[in-house]
Amino acid sequence: MSLLKIDNLSTEVDGKGILNKLNLKIEKGETHVLVGPNASGKSTLLYTLMGYPEYNVTEGKLLFNDEDITDMEIEERTKRGIAGVYQNPPAINVKLSTLLDKISEGKKQFKSIEGLEGLLDRDVNVGYSGGERKLSEVAQVISLDPDFIILDELDAGLDIENLERISQVVKEELSDKTLLIITHRGRALKFFEPDYAHVMMNGEIICSSKDSQKIWKTIEEDGYERCKEC
Amino acid sequence: MSDVKSASYTQVDNEQAEIVADEDVVILTSHQAYEKYPWSREYYDEEPKEGYFIWARRTTGKPISTCVLICSQYVTQDAQNVILIDEGVEAQMESACAAKMKSLFGKHIGRSKMILKDNAKLEYKHVHSWGEDDDVQSTTDLIMGKGSEVIYSQKCQRVPKSLRLINYNYIEESASLNYSATVIAKEGSVEMYDDTFLNGKKANGISRVRMIARDNAKFTGKSQIIANEAATGHMDCMGLILGDDSNIIAIPQLVNNCEDASITHEASVGKISEDVVNYLRSRGLSEDEAIDLVVNGFMGEEEDIVIDGVKLDSSLFM
């Protein structure tokens, strides 16, 4: 039984089709990387997996731990162990410490993460730098203690030092989790050793391989179009 | 709030119930002060029958608390209050104006004057909690001497059928005011007015108004900063609409009578963004929990209410 099975999934937003008969299986404990150019549908996959209502599933289904979650509400998916690290989370006039307390409900305290202390009394994502935003996102996800985490553009808006720091936190705190890392830059691949890499274009996965470095090298040298010939 | 009671005034219906004062803070009924200190009469609109007179003569480091309660049906209060902070004195003050239970059909009129002498400091929290059949109007004149500083917050989480909060703030040279007013209403009509006059050079005035309208609440919030000298001021006037039948009118206004003054404003009225609600749902919160969290964040920290020197949660009132 796969932890996550995406079966022939198509979605649309505002009547525009984005994901197109997508298939993907992720086993428990695996790390997958999904790469693709801008507007290929990577973030749509995140929001569809999370259950955002404007992402309308028109075909196919989502199975998580063999349970059909296709029509499940957002918070119910979260309670079943799915969590997302967002690229552009909204600003909220709520202190980060308040939100962490609320979402962790006494499961764990993660205030010891380096750099988090200075954020706890600040409102969530208000005036945050790129690194602070990612740290806040990762801290929230750690507090949720999920089984499966989707990390959207982990390397966006971070300098190399911050990317290394955030990647280290993810590796240390989420080492036993199943990860789907979404990126179009590939810089995050320096810090992770994925079990599988997938290339997405036009809402479809057009190539999958265990050799993520080879895929990224191909993309860097010949561009995403070359992946169509994979 | 601190459990330590330095000085306090409690009024129940139309009668003064208790006064605790110490050598550093004079507390009298307004009527007593009017008789005892003829100089205090300039602070009253007319000879007062109700209300308190507080005169902070020295810095104590302990809070001064007042409580004006309606406990009986059909009571009309007309409290004229004076708070006087002497030159260079620092004071912390916490006030509660409240109905002790629902359906008392009370009327509360509060007319307050807060006077800060030069370089005085005041941190003042004022909490209202009323029954849904009450009628409330609270008017405050804040007169700030040179170099004085005030942090002044008003909150009301249980509004009457009609609530009017009116503030006139007069700020002299190098004085600084940080004023905030936050009201959450499920029903009823709420009017919030504040005028801040920057009357001295380097005066600074900040006004923050937060209106949260649930169900059938109707809000009007009008904030105005009038710069008469080379001073600075900022206001923000924010409204959250949480009910289909609720309504908020926000009117920020800037009047600049001095070319060297700098005054700014921002205003917004709207519902909580779906992005925010969905984001919080993706953190495991239900939709209602997400909205409550945002509303609580919008309102700031919950304030306790002090009745007879005892801390009470506002939810215990009803």
Side-chain angles (χ1 to χ4, degrees), chain B residues 142-150 169-178 196-207 225-234 256 258 260-264:
Chain B
L142 171 62
I143 299 147
M144 297 178 60
K146 291 178 182 176
S148 60
E149 296 176 26
V150 173
N169 308 313
Y170 304 92
I171 310 178
E172 278 300 329
E173 185 179 325
S174 300
S176 166
L177 167 66
N178 190 337
T196 298
F197 296 87
L198 303 172
N199 290 335
K201 290 178 182 175
K202 297 183 181 177
N204 177 252
I206 296 172
S207 165
I225 295 181
I226 303 99
N228 295 320
E229 283 289 347
T232 54
H234 176 76
N256 195 338
C258 175
D260 294 325
S262 171
I263 47 178
T264 57

Side-chain angles (χ1 to χ4, degrees), chain A residues 206-218:
Chain A
I206 58 167
C207 176
S208 294
S209 170
K210 286 189 171 183
D211 192 344
S212 60
Q213 297 303 332
K214 184 182 172 189
I215 283 190
W216 188 246
K217 191 165 179 279
T218 304

Side-chain angles (χ1 to χ4, degrees), chain A residues 73 75 84 86 93 137 140, chain B residues 279 281-283 293 297 301:
Chain A
E73 298 288 339
E75 59 269 36
Y86 299 97
N93 290 119
E137 287 290 294
Q140 289 175 51
Chain B
Y279 176 76
R281 290 174 69 200
S282 80
R283 298 306 187 218
L293 190 68
E301 291 174 10

Side-chain angles (χ1 to χ4, degrees), chain B residues 185-186 212-219 240-248:
Chain B
K186 286 179 80 171
I212 301 158
R214 292 183 183 271
D215 301 343
N216 299 304
K218 310 292 180 199
F219 272 89
L240 264 186
I241 294 182
L242 302 178
D244 290 340
D245 295 320
S246 54
N247 165 261
I248 295 177

Side-chain angles (χ1 to χ4, degrees), chain A residues 50 52-53 73-75 78-79 84 86 89-90 92-95 99 103 137 140-141 144, chain B residues 273-287 289 293-294 296-298 301:
Chain A
M50 293 309 305
Y52 276 58
E73 298 288 339
I74 303 176
E75 59 269 36
T78 305
K79 284 172 185 166
Y86 299 97
I92 308 173
N93 290 119
V94 172
K95 285 181 182 174
L99 179 58
I103 64 183
E137 287 290 294
Q140 289 175 51
V141 164
L144 282 167
Chain B
S273 126
E274 276 188 36
D275 275 355
V276 168
V277 173
N278 287 335
Y279 176 76
L280 292 172
R281 290 174 69 200
S282 80
R283 298 306 187 218
L285 279 62
S286 68
E287 186 169 345
E289 287 174 329
L293 190 68
V294 174
N296 288 338
F298 193 78
E301 291 174 10

